[in-house]
Every structure is written in structure tokens, then in C-alpha cells.
Amino acid sequence: MPHPTPTAAPEAPPLPLRGEGLGVGGVALALAITLTTQAAAQVIPTGSPAADILLSQAIAEHRVFLTCSALDPATHAQILADWQRDAAAAVAILTANNTPPEAITAFTTTALPENLMPAPDTPWAEVTGLCATRPDWQTSYGRLDFTVLGQTLPLAFR
């Protein structure tokens, strides 16, 4: 009698893509990069090492927040709106502090939500692996225990 062929474990459901199932006016969530793409996470030096650290830290934190909240449309929409507001505040602060335009452009591009989230074909294990790096992400977000650029970035230029 032949042995049964082992079957692969079922795949987890895909993350909502390009606004599917979000119920927030069809917010487009184009998932454009993989979790391991480091080029998109680079910050061109701003002239302030402290600012560079804050920008990099905020990007890393929001990569987790946006990715891990993707299966909860309401939470994701709130985090997305907050991040877009904070990224815009960061651009205004960088501009006011005469940051080189190429550094502002690099931050703006890296900070795009679609550049912070994984590509649609990213294996579920990689997505959950990223979320496992910060299992308390929901608590941290709720307590505002993360880098808020609108508040912290001005201090980097003092």
C-alpha cells in the first residue's frame, strides 16, 4: 500500500491588497516591497545624525505597525492616517531646517505606506516573522510608545 503524500500546511489568508475589503473608501494599499529590501529603508543623511536615527527608527516602527495591522481594517486605517500626518510633519521640519532636497525626497519615498509594507507575494511566514519582532506592537501603538517625528524631530536640529 503506498504511503500518502504529505500535504503542505494551509497558507494563511492573504493580506488585504489594493484596498480590497478595507471599507475605507477603497484606500489603495499597493504592497510594493518585500520585508527584506533594505534599499527602500535607507535614509540619506540629513546633516543631523540625530535626525537620521529618528527617521530610520520611525520607518522601522511603522513598517511593523502598518504590516501587522493590515488584517484589521479599522486599526490599519488609523495607523495609516497617523503615519501620513507624521511623515508630512517630518517633511515640513526637514524643509524648515534646510535639509538637502535629496534627503527629503529619499525619506518621502521610503515613508510611503506602500514602501513600508510587504509585497503581495511575500510568504506568510515572513510577515508573521516581522510581527514577531515586536509582539507588543498594538500595546506600544496604543500607548504612543514609538517615535513621533512631529514631536521628536525638531529636537534633533537644536
Side-chain angles (χ1 to χ4, degrees):
M1 174 175 243
H3 294 308
T5 305
T7 58
E11 279 288 314
L15 295 173
L17 303 177
R18 297 176 192 12
E20 296 170 9
L22 291 179
V24 185
V27 175
L29 292 177
L31 304 177
I33 64 169
T34 64
L35 296 174
T36 57
T37 302
Q38 294 302 313
Q42 291 180 322
V43 173
I44 292 177
T46 61
S48 166
D52 299 345
I53 290 168
L54 290 170
L55 294 172
S56 295
Q57 187 173 332
I59 288 167
E61 291 167 346
H62 281 81
R63 176 170 280 124
V64 171
F65 296 147
L66 288 167
T67 298
C68 301
S69 69
L71 293 177
D72 179 354
T75 301
H76 185 79
Q78 182 64 55
I79 291 171
L80 177 63
D82 291 347
W83 172 242
Q84 289 173 321
R85 237 183 336 273
D86 200 35
V91 168
I93 294 163
L94 293 169
T95 302
N97 284 281
N98 300 314
T99 300
E102 60 275 7
I104 295 172
T105 299
F107 169 73
T108 303
T109 300
T110 301
L112 290 171
E114 61 266 24
N115 290 338
L116 294 178
M117 294 183 63
D121 61 350
T122 301
W124 183 251
E126 286 186 35
V127 174
T128 58
L130 175 67
C131 295
T133 65
R134 191 153 182 192
D136 65 337
W137 71 267
Q138 287 176 303
T139 301
S140 296
Y141 198 85
R143 292 182 180 167
L144 297 177
D145 183 18
F146 59 91
T147 306
V148 178
L149 293 171
Q151 295 173 359
T152 60
L153 195 54
L155 304 174
F157 290 100
R158 286 189 177 178

